[in-house]
Amino acid sequence: MEALRDKGVVVTGAAGGIGRAIAEACVAAGARVVVTDLDAERLLATATDLGAYAVPSDVSTNDGIEAVIELTTAHLGGIDVWVGNAGIQGGLGLETPDETWQLAHDVNVMAHVRAARLLVPAWLESGGGRFVVTASAAGLLTMIGAAPYSVTKHAAVAFAEWLAATYGHRGIDVHCLCPQGVDTAIYRDAGAVQGLLAADGLLTPAEVAAALLEAIEQGRHQVLPHPQVRQYAIARATDTDAWLRGMQRLQGRYDAPPRTSEETR
């Protein structure tokens, strides 16, 4: 894949799940890959398996982002592609404390802002770069039972769109990855909502990574590994009230206590 061949690529949140799969796909495409994650032990194992270079770091902080960019630049000589994949669910509903909201905001939104702030000026001088935001279908729609995740992923989508609108004509390619149900830790921790997330098919991280690389090759901004999400987004935009009524019905199913065996006879 020429768009990635011999390019310097950073993938955040890459110890496992979608991040690891994207890193593996980039290595297979001929890229020189640096992986980063808060979980240093798993990250080092992933880097060894993939033939990548590991930079353990906390991308929820400005210092963490700066460290990744500095160490990656020293190792690779430069960064051509940034894949901001790190993300957390960050609590549930109104009971979620402020500090949990703040952490979700730092990981799911500000990590992208802080990375772009450091990378884009250099890319404009050098003639271009590529920035990937791993958001979620929740960022186009919403996610039942996960207010911080829904809100911050909406913000991540908005930032990706702003970045593309502002710098796309100056050689900065931006892609926004919005999967729905994927077999990752977030899905496995989703509890009763798992059935909703998997309703349109549960994808593997490798399938999501393949969708991203296809979008990069085709030059598409929005990446929807689950094609049904496009129709849901259209329905939400064209008749928001009807869409909300549908979401309320889903929430009602989520709120309802499970039926006992006696009740199902």
Side-chain angles (χ1 to χ4, degrees):
M1 182 179 179
E2 292 305 315
L4 294 177
R5 188 174 305 281
D6 202 38
K7 299 296 185 183
V9 177
V10 176
V11 184
T12 74
I18 294 173
R20 176 184 170 122
I22 291 173
E24 184 172 11
C26 288
V27 169
R32 297 171 295 120
V33 178
V34 168
V35 289
T36 184
D37 201 286
L38 189 61
D39 188 337
E41 184 175 351
R42 287 180 67 217
L43 182 71
L44 292 170
T46 292
T48 300
D49 289 345
L50 302 185
Y53 184 74
V55 178
S57 188
D58 180 1
V59 297
S60 72
T61 69
N62 195 60
D63 288 347
I65 294 287
E66 287 182 348
V68 172
I69 291 176
E70 181 179 343
L71 292 171
T72 298
T73 300
H75 179 70
L76 296 179
I79 297 171
D80 302 299
V81 181
W82 180 272
V83 182
N85 174 76
I88 61 171
Q89 181 170 334
L92 301 174
L94 295 177
E95 75 286 355
T96 304
D98 286 359
E99 55 268 25
T100 304
W101 273 96
Q102 186 61 56
L103 181 60
H105 179 67
D106 281 330
V107 176
N108 295 348
V109 185
M110 290 307 299
H112 304 304
V113 176
R114 290 163 177 154
R117 186 185 291 149
L118 295 173
L119 292 168
V120 168
W123 285 347
L124 292 174
E125 288 186 9
S126 66
R130 191 177 302 277
F131 198 98
V132 178
V133 172
T134 298
S136 168
L140 298 172
L141 306 166
T142 195
M143 182 172 171
I144 295 294
Y149 188 79
S150 297
V151 171
T152 55
K153 289 300 186 178
H154 270 272
V157 169
F159 180 69
E161 291 175 349
W162 179 88
L163 204 63
T166 305
Y167 296 107
H169 67 297
R170 299 179 64 184
I172 309 298
D173 296 308
V174 183
H175 308 276
C176 189
L177 177 59
C178 298
Q180 192 168 235
V182 185
D183 189 10
T184 65
I186 287 179
Y187 168 77
R188 291 190 289 274
D189 291 341
V193 188
Q194 281 185 340
L196 297 178
L197 292 176
D200 293 311
L202 185 67
L203 298 184
T204 65
E207 289 172 314
V208 175
L212 173 61
L213 264 63
E214 180 182 51
I216 289 174
E217 188 172 14
Q218 296 175 355
R220 287 187 286 109
H221 170 78
Q222 192 177 77
V223 189
L224 302 178
H226 294 81
Q228 300 91 336
V229 170
R230 185 180 306 278
Q231 296 306 313
Y232 299 152
I234 290 171
R236 174 179 176 270
T238 54
D239 192 341
T240 304
D241 287 318
W243 176 79
L244 281 172
R245 287 193 293 271
M247 293 303 293
Q248 289 161 2
R249 287 192 293 272
L250 288 178
Q251 181 68 54
R253 286 167 48 191
Y254 174 66
D255 291 344
R259 299 176 69 187
T260 67
S261 58
E262 289 295 323
E263 292 173 321
T264 56
R265 288 180 182 175

PDB file of all heavy atoms in Angstrom, residues 95-114:
ATOM      1  N   GLU A  95     -24.517   9.959  37.378  1.00  0.00           N
ATOM      2  CA  GLU A  95     -23.776   9.754  38.622  1.00  0.00           C
ATOM      3  C   GLU A  95     -22.270   9.794  38.415  1.00  0.00           C
ATOM      4  O   GLU A  95     -21.492   9.812  39.382  1.00  0.00           O
ATOM      5  CB  GLU A  95     -24.161   8.407  39.248  1.00  0.00           C
ATOM      6  CG  GLU A  95     -23.580   7.168  38.556  1.00  0.00           C
ATOM      7  CD  GLU A  95     -24.253   6.827  37.226  1.00  0.00           C
ATOM      8  OE1 GLU A  95     -25.243   7.505  36.868  1.00  0.00           O
ATOM      9  OE2 GLU A  95     -23.788   5.886  36.557  1.00  0.00           O
ATOM     10  N   THR A  96     -21.818   9.832  37.171  1.00  0.00           N
ATOM     11  CA  THR A  96     -20.381   9.835  36.880  1.00  0.00           C
ATOM     12  C   THR A  96     -19.722  11.087  37.467  1.00  0.00           C
ATOM     13  O   THR A  96     -20.145  12.206  37.179  1.00  0.00           O
ATOM     14  CB  THR A  96     -20.143   9.802  35.362  1.00  0.00           C
ATOM     15  OG1 THR A  96     -20.803   8.657  34.810  1.00  0.00           O
ATOM     16  CG2 THR A  96     -18.658   9.729  35.050  1.00  0.00           C
ATOM     17  N   PRO A  97     -18.691  10.933  38.273  1.00  0.00           N
ATOM     18  CA  PRO A  97     -18.059  12.103  38.906  1.00  0.00           C
ATOM     19  C   PRO A  97     -17.287  12.952  37.898  1.00  0.00           C
ATOM     20  O   PRO A  97     -16.894  12.487  36.829  1.00  0.00           O
ATOM     21  CB  PRO A  97     -17.114  11.478  39.942  1.00  0.00           C
ATOM     22  CG  PRO A  97     -16.862  10.094  39.457  1.00  0.00           C
ATOM     23  CD  PRO A  97     -18.101   9.659  38.736  1.00  0.00           C
ATOM     24  N   ASP A  98     -17.064  14.205  38.271  1.00  0.00           N
ATOM     25  CA  ASP A  98     -16.397  15.154  37.381  1.00  0.00           C
ATOM     26  C   ASP A  98     -15.031  14.665  36.933  1.00  0.00           C
ATOM     27  O   ASP A  98     -14.644  14.847  35.766  1.00  0.00           O
ATOM     28  CB  ASP A  98     -16.227  16.508  38.084  1.00  0.00           C
ATOM     29  CG  ASP A  98     -17.535  17.278  38.184  1.00  0.00           C
ATOM     30  OD1 ASP A  98     -18.571  16.770  37.698  1.00  0.00           O
ATOM     31  OD2 ASP A  98     -17.516  18.386  38.761  1.00  0.00           O
ATOM     32  N   GLU A  99     -14.280  14.039  37.829  1.00  0.00           N
ATOM     33  CA  GLU A  99     -12.927  13.616  37.460  1.00  0.00           C
ATOM     34  C   GLU A  99     -12.955  12.522  36.389  1.00  0.00           C
ATOM     35  O   GLU A  99     -12.040  12.437  35.553  1.00  0.00           O
ATOM     36  CB  GLU A  99     -12.137  13.147  38.686  1.00  0.00           C
ATOM     37  CG  GLU A  99     -12.773  12.044  39.508  1.00  0.00           C
ATOM     38  CD  GLU A  99     -13.639  12.570  40.650  1.00  0.00           C
ATOM     39  OE1 GLU A  99     -14.143  13.707  40.554  1.00  0.00           O
ATOM     40  OE2 GLU A  99     -13.798  11.818  41.647  1.00  0.00           O
ATOM     41  N   THR A 100     -13.989  11.699  36.394  1.00  0.00           N
ATOM     42  CA  THR A 100     -14.115  10.672  35.359  1.00  0.00           C
ATOM     43  C   THR A 100     -14.498  11.301  34.028  1.00  0.00           C
ATOM     44  O   THR A 100     -13.987  10.916  32.965  1.00  0.00           O
ATOM     45  CB  THR A 100     -15.149   9.614  35.772  1.00  0.00           C
ATOM     46  OG1 THR A 100     -14.774   9.068  37.038  1.00  0.00           O
ATOM     47  CG2 THR A 100     -15.224   8.488  34.756  1.00  0.00           C
ATOM     48  N   TRP A 101     -15.393  12.277  34.064  1.00  0.00           N
ATOM     49  CA  TRP A 101     -15.712  13.038  32.852  1.00  0.00           C
ATOM     50  C   TRP A 101     -14.441  13.694  32.295  1.00  0.00           C
ATOM     51  O   TRP A 101     -14.207  13.685  31.074  1.00  0.00           O
ATOM     52  CB  TRP A 101     -16.741  14.134  33.172  1.00  0.00           C
ATOM     53  CG  TRP A 101     -18.170  13.712  33.102  1.00  0.00           C
ATOM     54  CD1 TRP A 101     -18.959  13.309  34.135  1.00  0.00           C
ATOM     55  CD2 TRP A 101     -19.008  13.676  31.940  1.00  0.00           C
ATOM     56  NE1 TRP A 101     -20.227  13.019  33.695  1.00  0.00           N
ATOM     57  CE2 TRP A 101     -20.288  13.245  32.355  1.00  0.00           C
ATOM     58  CE3 TRP A 101     -18.797  13.978  30.590  1.00  0.00           C
ATOM     59  CZ2 TRP A 101     -21.355  13.098  31.471  1.00  0.00           C
ATOM     60  CZ3 TRP A 101     -19.849  13.835  29.705  1.00  0.00           C
ATOM     61  CH2 TRP A 101     -21.110  13.394  30.145  1.00  0.00           C
ATOM     62  N   GLN A 102     -13.649  14.272  33.182  1.00  0.00           N
ATOM     63  CA  GLN A 102     -12.441  14.966  32.735  1.00  0.00           C
ATOM     64  C   GLN A 102     -11.454  14.006  32.085  1.00  0.00           C
ATOM     65  O   GLN A 102     -10.841  14.322  31.055  1.00  0.00           O
ATOM     66  CB  GLN A 102     -11.766  15.682  33.904  1.00  0.00           C
ATOM     67  CG  GLN A 102     -10.575  16.544  33.503  1.00  0.00           C
ATOM     68  CD  GLN A 102     -10.958  17.644  32.538  1.00  0.00           C
ATOM     69  OE1 GLN A 102     -11.839  18.445  32.826  1.00  0.00           O
ATOM     70  NE2 GLN A 102     -10.316  17.688  31.375  1.00  0.00           N
ATOM     71  N   LEU A 103     -11.298  12.815  32.671  1.00  0.00           N
ATOM     72  CA  LEU A 103     -10.383  11.833  32.091  1.00  0.00           C
ATOM     73  C   LEU A 103     -10.868  11.393  30.714  1.00  0.00           C
ATOM     74  O   LEU A 103     -10.075  11.269  29.773  1.00  0.00           O
ATOM     75  CB  LEU A 103     -10.244  10.622  33.021  1.00  0.00           C
ATOM     76  CG  LEU A 103      -9.294   9.526  32.529  1.00  0.00           C
ATOM     77  CD1 LEU A 103      -7.880  10.060  32.337  1.00  0.00           C
ATOM     78  CD2 LEU A 103      -9.298   8.341  33.504  1.00  0.00           C
ATOM     79  N   ALA A 104     -12.178  11.155  30.581  1.00  0.00           N
ATOM     80  CA  ALA A 104     -12.727  10.780  29.273  1.00  0.00           C
ATOM     81  C   ALA A 104     -12.469  11.885  28.251  1.00  0.00           C
ATOM     82  O   ALA A 104     -12.132  11.614  27.094  1.00  0.00           O
ATOM     83  CB  ALA A 104     -14.222  10.500  29.390  1.00  0.00           C
ATOM     84  N   HIS A 105     -12.632  13.125  28.682  1.00  0.00           N
ATOM     85  CA  HIS A 105     -12.376  14.258  27.789  1.00  0.00           C
ATOM     86  C   HIS A 105     -10.903  14.321  27.393  1.00  0.00           C
ATOM     87  O   HIS A 105     -10.570  14.541  26.219  1.00  0.00           O
ATOM     88  CB  HIS A 105     -12.799  15.548  28.487  1.00  0.00           C
ATOM     89  CG  HIS A 105     -12.569  16.784  27.682  1.00  0.00           C
ATOM     90  ND1 HIS A 105     -13.255  17.057  26.515  1.00  0.00           N
ATOM     91  CD2 HIS A 105     -11.714  17.830  27.863  1.00  0.00           C
ATOM     92  CE1 HIS A 105     -12.849  18.214  26.026  1.00  0.00           C
ATOM     93  NE2 HIS A 105     -11.912  18.691  26.816  1.00  0.00           N
ATOM     94  N   ASP A 106     -10.011  14.094  28.355  1.00  0.00           N
ATOM     95  CA  ASP A 106      -8.584  14.152  28.059  1.00  0.00           C
ATOM     96  C   ASP A 106      -8.148  13.050  27.094  1.00  0.00           C
ATOM     97  O   ASP A 106      -7.352  13.288  26.179  1.00  0.00           O
ATOM     98  CB  ASP A 106      -7.771  14.048  29.358  1.00  0.00           C
ATOM     99  CG  ASP A 106      -7.726  15.355  30.125  1.00  0.00           C
ATOM    100  OD1 ASP A 106      -7.779  16.422  29.485  1.00  0.00           O
ATOM    101  OD2 ASP A 106      -7.643  15.321  31.368  1.00  0.00           O
ATOM    102  N   VAL A 107      -8.664  11.834  27.300  1.00  0.00           N
ATOM    103  CA  VAL A 107      -8.256  10.704  26.456  1.00  0.00           C
ATOM    104  C   VAL A 107      -8.959  10.743  25.096  1.00  0.00           C
ATOM    105  O   VAL A 107      -8.328  10.593  24.046  1.00  0.00           O
ATOM    106  CB  VAL A 107      -8.546   9.359  27.157  1.00  0.00           C
ATOM    107  CG1 VAL A 107      -8.212   8.192  26.225  1.00  0.00           C
ATOM    108  CG2 VAL A 107      -7.747   9.245  28.445  1.00  0.00           C
ATOM    109  N   ASN A 108     -10.269  10.951  25.104  1.00  0.00           N
ATOM    110  CA  ASN A 108     -11.061  10.802  23.880  1.00  0.00           C
ATOM    111  C   ASN A 108     -11.080  12.044  22.998  1.00  0.00           C
ATOM    112  O   ASN A 108     -11.443  11.950  21.826  1.00  0.00           O
ATOM    113  CB  ASN A 108     -12.505  10.426  24.241  1.00  0.00           C
ATOM    114  CG  ASN A 108     -12.600   9.065  24.897  1.00  0.00           C
ATOM    115  OD1 ASN A 108     -11.657   8.287  24.903  1.00  0.00           O
ATOM    116  ND2 ASN A 108     -13.747   8.772  25.503  1.00  0.00           N
ATOM    117  N   VAL A 109     -10.736  13.195  23.565  1.00  0.00           N
ATOM    118  CA  VAL A 109     -10.777  14.444  22.792  1.00  0.00           C
ATOM    119  C   VAL A 109      -9.430  15.152  22.792  1.00  0.00           C
ATOM    120  O   VAL A 109      -8.812  15.357  21.741  1.00  0.00           O
ATOM    121  CB  VAL A 109     -11.855  15.407  23.345  1.00  0.00           C
ATOM    122  CG1 VAL A 109     -11.951  16.647  22.451  1.00  0.00           C
ATOM    123  CG2 VAL A 109     -13.203  14.716  23.436  1.00  0.00           C
ATOM    124  N   MET A 110      -8.967  15.535  23.988  1.00  0.00           N
ATOM    125  CA  MET A 110      -7.785  16.389  24.042  1.00  0.00           C
ATOM    126  C   MET A 110      -6.511  15.701  23.562  1.00  0.00           C
ATOM    127  O   MET A 110      -5.575  16.366  23.107  1.00  0.00           O
ATOM    128  CB  MET A 110      -7.601  16.922  25.464  1.00  0.00           C
ATOM    129  CG  MET A 110      -8.657  17.937  25.886  1.00  0.00           C
ATOM    130  SD  MET A 110      -8.833  19.325  24.713  1.00  0.00           S
ATOM    131  CE  MET A 110      -7.197  20.050  24.781  1.00  0.00           C
ATOM    132  N   ALA A 111      -6.445  14.383  23.639  1.00  0.00           N
ATOM    133  CA  ALA A 111      -5.271  13.697  23.081  1.00  0.00           C
ATOM    134  C   ALA A 111      -5.134  14.000  21.594  1.00  0.00           C
ATOM    135  O   ALA A 111      -4.014  14.185  21.084  1.00  0.00           O
ATOM    136  CB  ALA A 111      -5.378  12.185  23.311  1.00  0.00           C
ATOM    137  N   HIS A 112      -6.254  14.067  20.874  1.00  0.00           N
ATOM    138  CA  HIS A 112      -6.213  14.418  19.448  1.00  0.00           C
ATOM    139  C   HIS A 112      -5.798  15.874  19.264  1.00  0.00           C
ATOM    140  O   HIS A 112      -4.965  16.191  18.409  1.00  0.00           O
ATOM    141  CB  HIS A 112      -7.586  14.202  18.809  1.00  0.00           C
ATOM    142  CG  HIS A 112      -8.124  12.819  18.961  1.00  0.00           C
ATOM    143  ND1 HIS A 112      -7.437  11.699  18.544  1.00  0.00           N
ATOM    144  CD2 HIS A 112      -9.298  12.371  19.484  1.00  0.00           C
ATOM    145  CE1 HIS A 112      -8.167  10.618  18.797  1.00  0.00           C
ATOM    146  NE2 HIS A 112      -9.290  11.002  19.372  1.00  0.00           N
ATOM    147  N   VAL A 113      -6.378  16.761  20.057  1.00  0.00           N
ATOM    148  CA  VAL A 113      -6.073  18.189  19.945  1.00  0.00           C
ATOM    149  C   VAL A 113      -4.599  18.438  20.230  1.00  0.00           C
ATOM    150  O   VAL A 113      -3.917  19.155  19.474  1.00  0.00           O
ATOM    151  CB  VAL A 113      -6.957  19.005  20.914  1.00  0.00           C
ATOM    152  CG1 VAL A 113      -6.572  20.482  20.878  1.00  0.00           C
ATOM    153  CG2 VAL A 113      -8.433  18.819  20.584  1.00  0.00           C
ATOM    154  N   ARG A 114      -4.086  17.843  21.296  1.00  0.00           N
ATOM    155  CA  ARG A 114      -2.695  18.071  21.681  1.00  0.00           C
ATOM    156  C   ARG A 114      -1.721  17.512  20.655  1.00  0.00           C
ATOM    157  O   ARG A 114      -0.689  18.125  20.366  1.00  0.00           O
ATOM    158  CB  ARG A 114      -2.444  17.468  23.066  1.00  0.00           C
ATOM    159  CG  ARG A 114      -3.161  18.230  24.184  1.00  0.00           C
ATOM    160  CD  ARG A 114      -3.259  17.437  25.465  1.00  0.00           C
ATOM    161  NE  ARG A 114      -3.887  18.243  26.518  1.00  0.00           N
ATOM    162  CZ  ARG A 114      -4.553  17.740  27.548  1.00  0.00           C
ATOM    163  NH1 ARG A 114      -4.692  16.415  27.674  1.00  0.00           N
ATOM    164  NH2 ARG A 114      -5.086  18.535  28.451  1.00  0.00           N
TER     165      ARG A 114
END
